[in-house]
Amino acid sequence: MNVLILNAGSSSLKFQVIATDLERIKTSSDERLCRGQVERLGGEAIITVQSRTGPRRKLTAPIRDVAAALDYVLRWLASENSGVPEIRSLGDVHAVGHRVVHGGETFHESALITDEVLKGIEDCIDLAPLHNPNNLKGIQAVREIFGSQTPQVAVFDTAFHATIPEHAYLYALPYHLYRRHRIRRYGFHGTSHRYVAYRYRALCGLTREQTNLVTLHLGNGCSACAIRGGHSVDTSMGMTPLEGLVMGTRSGDLDPAILNLMAGKEGLSPHEVESVLNTQSGLLGISGLTNDMKVLEEELLVHEDRRVRLAIEIFCYRARKYVGAFLAAMGGADAVIFTGGIGENSPLVRARICDGLAWAGLKIDAARNEQMVRREGRISTDDSTLNAWVVPTDEELLIARDTVRCILGEPHPG
Ligand code: ADP
């Protein structure tokens, strides 16, 4: 089955095509046929495409919106020179899987899209006004182009966290705010945390019940997840993706009274304050230079800039604090898993986060840590009682597999 995976954002459409089915899932022989993205929708868009065998190509074209981007991608896929011979016409795309950001309290797992499911995703718009409408546009665009006979599946960022218990998801606010407005922790990056937990247990030959981890997804957005018996029992992102770890441009945790103070002192509206926390804070805010960890690390080597050093230090300190908190919350774990662009590529950040965790039994093996770049493997010493691993994430693979399972009515392995 050729599954088209779509991640529709406000100004971009990311896509992949993965060939998979139940047999391929069992034998891990799924095949990625191509990947790409269309960025800067609404003007002269930048299109990046790469087939399994061909080189990476970059083009530009005026593209209005998600529907036009999808049309463009499909025409490229079916063209002679796409390098994807498996797709010659629309009929060769057998199903579509969508990343959907918010499933609220309605969706505890991936769902085959029906009118009722569409309504459920619409009902979650209140919870994710910036994200769910774009995801819905992606789903509508597929319906318009393919018709309703092509099955579509929604895979929710929040679904993996549906197992978080009440005492971990409720904020200490007046309870009626939860009743009236569903104000609570939902958590995000669920597909990534779920994927790396699944990979870890496959690599170690463990059952789901034996899987006890703290997973750290460190990319542009960052979150930690406490996984006990294979289930998410707590996570650092909250009602929105703003809470928790320090991120590229997001502040993560702060004293909520600062919001009012900032508004008064800087003459900002509540909306503007939130925008500062989302887009001008985190690594960018502290360093005053960039949200890009790779650039910060390079800068540190050349200039030993105080604020660059601080940005990295605060990032790592916050992450270590969350690891400690989640170890305490779970009564220990077997491993800390690093994933996401920073987690997969930065030995420096991994070492700094783990440096203060010897008390918990975690000691980093410096040579293993240096070698483990975009590869999966253990980076702790043989005598560590709490291990550290790098596991590159692959959310699209999980979306493709969930799509197949949902269509065939197979249960999720989690
Ligand atoms: P997203 O959350 O948008 O998917 P990624 O997971 O790709 O983002 O992560 C992007 C982050 O990963 C950026 O901060 C980038 O600098 C960082 N990163 C990528 N490669 C390296 C590297 N070699 N060293 C340090 N950081 C890196």
Side-chain angles (χ1 to χ4, degrees):
M1 202 180 274
N2 298 327
V3 183
L4 172 66
I5 299 114
L6 295 179
N7 181 357
S10 58
S11 63
S12 71
L13 177 73
K14 294 189 183 141
F15 70 93
Q16 293 197 9
V17 178
I18 295 180
T20 182
D21 51 40
L22 291 180
E23 192 50 40
R24 284 188 191 240
I25 294 174
K26 223 180 284 164
T27 52
S28 271
S29 54
D30 329 63
E31 221 177 329
R32 200 174 316 261
L33 305 182
C34 68
R35 66 168 86 209
Q37 56 184 353
V38 185
E39 293 167 288
R40 298 206 197 156
L41 295 177
E44 189 69 5
I46 302 173
I47 306 120
T48 321
V49 289
Q50 183 165 30
S51 66
R52 193 180 17 176
T53 48
R56 194 154 166 260
R57 278 185 283 171
K58 220 170 178 173
L59 316 137
T60 61
I63 295 181
R64 208 173 48 243
D65 53 16
V66 166
L70 179 62
D71 185 56
Y72 187 98
V73 167
L74 292 171
R75 274 189 289 118
W76 170 76
L77 264 174
S79 68
E80 276 295 316
N81 58 356
S82 67
V84 190
E86 292 83 352
I87 311 281
R88 281 289 135 259
S89 69
L90 283 187
D92 294 327
V93 175
H94 304 121
V96 184
H98 295 265
R99 177 184 182 200
V100 177
V101 169
H102 221 305
E105 293 189 321
T106 313
F107 297 104
H108 293 184
E109 55 184 41
S110 304
L112 186 64
I113 295 175
T114 58
D115 289 340
E116 198 187 340
V117 168
L118 268 183
K119 167 86 174 53
I121 298 173
E122 273 166 22
D123 289 344
C124 296
I125 286 181
D126 254 7
L127 299 169
L130 300 179
H131 296 103
N132 275 28
N134 297 313
N135 303 147
L136 282 165
K137 279 183 201 156
I139 297 169
Q140 299 293 10
V142 170
R143 273 207 176 173
E144 272 161 36
I145 295 176
F146 287 87
S148 52
Q149 70 283 4
T150 297
Q152 301 194 64
V153 169
V155 178
F156 300 92
D157 252 20
T158 47
F160 182 59
H161 302 301
T163 44
I164 294 179
E166 220 174 15
H167 66 260
Y169 74 64
L170 278 180
Y171 293 114
L173 290 168
Y175 191 79
H176 68 256
L177 292 174
Y178 168 61
R179 267 213 212 102
R180 280 186 209 159
H181 311 295
R182 299 284 135 193
I183 293 178
R184 52 161 282 184
R185 175 183 314 287
Y186 290 95
F188 300 88
H189 286 151
T191 315
S192 179
H193 291 296
R194 185 179 140 214
Y195 176 79
V196 298
Y198 148 79
R199 250 337 270 166
Y200 170 82
R201 74 171 201 254
L203 289 167
C204 296
L206 300 172
T207 63
R208 179 173 186 153
E209 290 65 35
Q210 291 167 327
T211 309
N212 301 310
L213 303 169
V214 177
T215 49
L216 291 173
H217 178 105
L218 309 177
N220 275 316
C222 301
S223 69
C225 182
I227 297 175
R228 182 143 193 88
H231 297 287
S232 170
V233 292
D234 205 347
T235 191
S236 59
M237 282 180 167
M239 172 90 190
T240 76
L242 187 50
E243 193 181 347
L245 303 180
V246 175
M247 315 183 205
T249 60
R250 294 184 210 137
S251 61
D253 295 339
L254 50 72
D255 177 347
I258 293 172
L259 275 65
N260 214 359
L261 193 137
M262 266 171 72
K265 300 262 182 210
E266 297 274 316
L268 301 173
S269 68
H271 183 75
E272 286 166 334
V273 170
E274 198 178 308
S275 169
V276 172
L277 301 186
N278 266 310
T279 64
Q280 295 171 46
S281 302
L283 293 173
L284 171 66
I286 302 162
S287 71
L289 186 72
T290 175
N291 62 328
D292 191 320
M293 182 61 92
K294 186 160 181 243
V295 175
L296 289 176
E297 288 188 19
E298 286 161 1
E299 186 64 20
L300 194 63
L301 286 177
V302 184
H303 291 121
E304 211 348 87
D305 183 281
R306 192 183 80 87
R307 277 173 54 189
V308 167
R309 185 163 39 78
L310 256 182
I312 299 176
E313 195 57 49
I314 295 171
F315 180 95
C316 297
Y317 173 72
R318 180 87 56 87
R320 191 193 315 147
K321 222 160 90 162
Y322 263 96
V323 173
F326 283 173
L327 288 174
M330 288 192 290
D334 300 326
V336 176
I337 311 288
F338 288 92
T339 195
I342 302 173
E344 292 164 27
N345 291 292
S346 175
L348 175 98
V349 167
R350 295 190 301 240
R352 294 229 178 137
I353 292 173
C354 294
D355 259 357
L357 291 172
W359 62 271
L362 198 169
K363 281 178 273 169
I364 287 287
D365 180 308
R368 283 181 190 157
N369 186 30
E370 284 301 322
Q371 282 160 11
M372 218 59 75
V373 171
R374 247 170 286 125
R375 292 203 289 137
E376 54 189 16
R378 187 160 63 95
I379 56 169
S380 47
T381 58
D382 291 342
D383 63 342
S384 287
T385 50
L386 171 65
N387 280 304
W389 282 68
V390 177
V391 179
T393 194
D394 195 343
E395 291 159 274
E396 291 78 10
L397 180 62
L398 207 47
I399 294 176
R401 289 178 170 187
D402 272 14
T403 300
V404 167
R405 291 186 195 115
C406 276
I407 292 170
L408 300 177
E410 283 281 313
H412 260 239

